[in-house]
Every structure is written in structure tokens, then in C-alpha cells.
Amino acid sequence: MTVTFDLNRLIATRLTEIAEAAWRDHRIMPIGDSDGRVLQIGTAATRERWVCGADHGTGVCGEPLLTHRQTAELLGLLNEDEPVLDPELPVTDVELLDEGLGGFFPGSLIHFSDVGREYRKAQG
């Protein structure tokens, strides 16, 4: 008996599980490629992939969330650097698909306002 796996179905199932857990546990949700806003800081830009639906005490947030890699790229940092040292809003840890490494790995999601604040601090 030969067992076959449909890799695309396996990845899609895992992405759905991650999205459901992220909403249930943190009130964040993924954004489809065609639905995300283009986020720009200085001359760098990236596409929104996650959005925060949590209430941080002032109503539903609705702010874009950036991965560690997106944040580092917008701020012009090496990927190993910690891009935002003192965020005002909670950083959320979730499992992310890293297409460069070819798998799912723990990652952090950072509010766009904290990334912008970090950029302004670096600009003086």
C-alpha cells in the first residue's frame, strides 16, 4: 500500500489551523495577498499580511501587523537584529510559514505603529 501526500493540501490545512488559533488566542487574522495594504516607511515598502483585531483598551485595533523579517527590512536592519526594542503594543508570537526556509517556524508579529515609532527614533 502506497501512501501519498498532497503537499499543497497539507500546507493549506496547516495555514487554516494557524489562522484559527491566531484568531482564537490573540484576535489577529491573516490577510490574503490581494487584500493587504501596501505599508511604507521611508523608501521601503511591504505588503500587509496580518491585522490585529484585539482590543487594547481603546476599541478594536485594526492595525497591520508585521513579521520580524518585514520589520527588519523596513528598518534596514539585518534579519538577526531585534527590530523593535520597546514596543508599546503587545508583540504576538505565532507559527509562520517561511517560504525561504521551506517550513513553519515560530515568529513574532509587531504592530505597524511600533515599527513607525522605531523608524522615527532612528531618524533623530
Side-chain angles (χ1 to χ4, degrees):
M1 179 176 173
T2 304
V3 177
T4 60
F5 292 96
D6 181 348
L7 186 57
N8 289 335
R9 180 177 289 157
L10 183 65
I11 291 170
T13 299
R14 187 65 192 125
L15 288 172
T16 300
E17 292 169 352
I18 290 168
E20 290 171 354
W23 180 253
R24 180 186 65 242
D25 299 341
H26 306 289
R27 290 298 184 241
I28 60 174
M29 68 175 21
I31 302 293
D33 285 336
S34 61
D35 296 329
R37 297 170 275 191
V38 174
L39 308 171
Q40 182 176 353
I41 293 182
T43 60
T46 190
R47 179 153 314 268
E48 174 185 28
R49 302 231 179 255
W50 293 85
V51 67
C52 182
D55 183 345
H56 304 297
T58 57
V60 174
C61 179
E63 192 172 320
L65 296 165
L66 300 176
T67 66
H68 183 277
R69 178 174 286 149
Q70 287 175 304
T71 301
E73 288 172 357
L74 285 178
L75 296 176
L77 302 172
L78 297 174
N79 207 23
E80 294 82 26
D81 291 342
E82 186 59 41
V84 179
L85 298 176
D86 191 22
E88 290 185 9
L89 294 171
V91 173
T92 305
D93 294 322
V94 295
E95 191 174 8
L96 300 170
L97 174 60
D98 189 323
E99 295 172 9
L101 297 175
F104 291 93
F105 300 94
S108 299
L109 298 175
I110 303 163
H111 283 79
F112 186 60
S113 61
D114 284 324
V115 177
R117 217 173 346 276
E118 197 70 24
Y119 177 79
R120 289 186 295 282
K121 280 195 305 191
Q123 296 302 306

